[in-house]
Amino acid sequence: MTIPFLDIKAQHVEIKDALDAAYHRVINSGQYILGSEVIAFEQEFAAYCDTKYCVGVSNGLEALHLVLRAYDIGNGDEVIVPTNTYIATWLAVSYCGAKPIPVEPDEKTYNLDPALIEAAITPRTKAIIAVHLYGQPADMDAINAIAKRHKLKLIEDAAQAHGALYKGRKVGGLGDAAGFSFYPGKNLGAIGDAGAITTNDADIAHKVSVLRNYGSQIKYHNEVKGFNSRLDELQAAFLREKLKKLDEWNGRRKRLAVEYLRQFTGGDLGLPFVPEWADPVWHLFVVRSARRDALQSHLAEQGIGAMIHYPIPPYLQAAYAELGFRVGDFPIADVIHREVLSLPIGPHVRNWEINIVVKSVRDFLDA
């Protein structure tokens, strides 16, 4: 028996008829780029996120990149980013020619620590990117207060947090703009690459919609140097069908997380911490152990998929060697990246599978 980390195929089996119908809608429409499915998805996802606007783009990295471009952030500018995140957050800054300025997380939540942000602000700082890591929202009121005080743009990296709530409000509308990824493994995943930005700022929505399409509103009339970064019509059709299931699937994830927390209580495993103001969607269920690598190997021997998010932090990647960071420069992120392990969770994991995972983890810890 094997328990995969995430069974994406099971999602598609559950809604096969709807996905088949979506496919045929697009094929029969003759519209394959920026057609009616993209327009409809943008309207539906904006409504879901309680924002005025949504602009579909090719992936989550491009969502962040184009938002930064729309705010005219570029060469010589600095953008505050978490030390503890996937490298895409940093790459979006680099794509603009700006410099990522890393700030440590709160060790309990793994998200950007508001208490450490102001020390990193300089006259060159133009924006803060707050990541809602693992599906749990960052402390947006505190970060918003800092951004307003220093006249900075606040951008949400909501790639892992579709439907998460912060003090009862959906992520995606908690800052100036937000970038979403619909990579297949996300809570709302396409069947391929896809992304979107959400915002209440009409000007930014317009600029991103122009930038994503070669810098053009009218064919062959190019206002600015843009990009080919459009949400595909077929992916938009699939996303429309999966959006209808998102809250239900998130609910299943939450019930599994509750069961993990209940069964692991009292052990020496580091467990997720959820502040009272957060309602996460459990994109990942991340535990911590000083013997993480051995634990992962033990689970693999039992046929249990467990993954490390992420084994190498951005500041230690070869891609950012020019910044000169070393192990020890960011001790909180260093220890997080050495110890975190993501256990199986998803809308099609069964309770009895959770029981097996817990037993296997306990057997390892008690050995």
Side-chain angles (χ1 to χ4, degrees), residues 279-301:
D279 186 3
V281 290
W282 299 102
H283 173 61
L284 299 174
F285 188 90
V286 179
V287 298
R288 286 175 62 178
S289 172
R291 296 186 288 157
R292 185 269 311 278
D293 292 345
L295 173 57
Q296 184 185 34
S297 296
H298 168 78
L299 293 174
E301 291 169 1

Side-chain angles (χ1 to χ4, degrees), residues 19-195:
L19 294 176
D20 286 347
Y23 167 81
H24 287 292
R25 280 202 316 269
V26 174
I27 295 301
N28 294 331
S29 73
Q31 295 180 310
Y32 307 127
I33 300 291
L34 296 183
S36 58
E37 296 290 342
V38 170
I39 293 170
F41 174 72
E42 288 173 339
Q43 294 170 342
E44 291 161 5
F45 195 62
Y48 179 82
C49 294
D50 297 322
T51 59
K52 293 180 181 177
Y53 308 102
C54 169
V55 181
V57 296
S58 58
N59 56 66
L61 170 53
E62 281 296 277
L64 295 174
H65 165 223
L66 295 183
V67 165
L68 292 169
R69 291 254 179 196
Y71 281 121
D72 297 320
I73 292 170
N75 292 328
D77 295 333
E78 295 177 351
V79 177
I80 289 173
V81 294
T83 55
N84 185 44
T85 185
Y86 184 56
I87 197 171
T89 314
W90 287 45
L91 290 174
V93 177
S94 299
Y95 277 13
C96 299
K99 182 179 180 181
I101 302 298
V103 169
E104 288 272 67
D106 178 310
E107 192 170 0
K108 292 193 298 183
T109 67
Y110 307 134
N111 280 324
L112 198 58
D113 188 342
L116 302 178
I117 292 173
E118 287 190 283
I121 294 173
T122 76
R124 294 180 295 279
T125 308
K126 294 296 187 293
I128 302 168
I129 299 180
V131 180
H132 304 310
L133 197 65
Y134 308 150
Q136 177 160 287
D139 190 354
M140 292 300 291
D141 283 353
I143 301 172
N144 258 307
I146 295 166
K148 286 182 170 60
R149 189 155 58 243
H150 294 273
K151 297 182 171 58
L152 306 176
K153 297 301 179 183
L154 176 54
I155 299 162
E156 299 171 77
D157 181 340
Q160 301 182 2
H162 317 74
L165 298 176
Y166 173 77
K167 298 183 179 180
R169 295 173 286 154
K170 288 265 183 69
V171 304
L174 303 176
D176 293 292
F180 284 88
S181 167
F182 304 122
Y183 181 79
K186 305 299 187 187
N187 290 38
L188 177 60
I191 307 179
D193 266 323

Side-chain angles (χ1 to χ4, degrees), residues 163-227:
L165 298 176
Y166 173 77
K167 298 183 179 180
R169 295 173 286 154
K170 288 265 183 69
V171 304
L174 303 176
D176 293 292
F180 284 88
S181 167
F182 304 122
Y183 181 79
K186 305 299 187 187
N187 290 38
L188 177 60
I191 307 179
D193 266 323
I197 71 110
T198 55
T199 185
N200 290 309
D201 186 330
D203 183 53
I204 290 303
H206 171 72
K207 286 182 177 180
V208 171
S209 69
V210 172
L211 284 168
R212 72 174 175 182
N213 190 34
Y214 296 100
S216 173
Q217 294 183 78
I218 302 170
K219 195 167 186 177
Y220 303 129
H221 293 260
N222 303 87
E223 305 163 25
V224 295
K225 297 180 181 71
F227 304 85

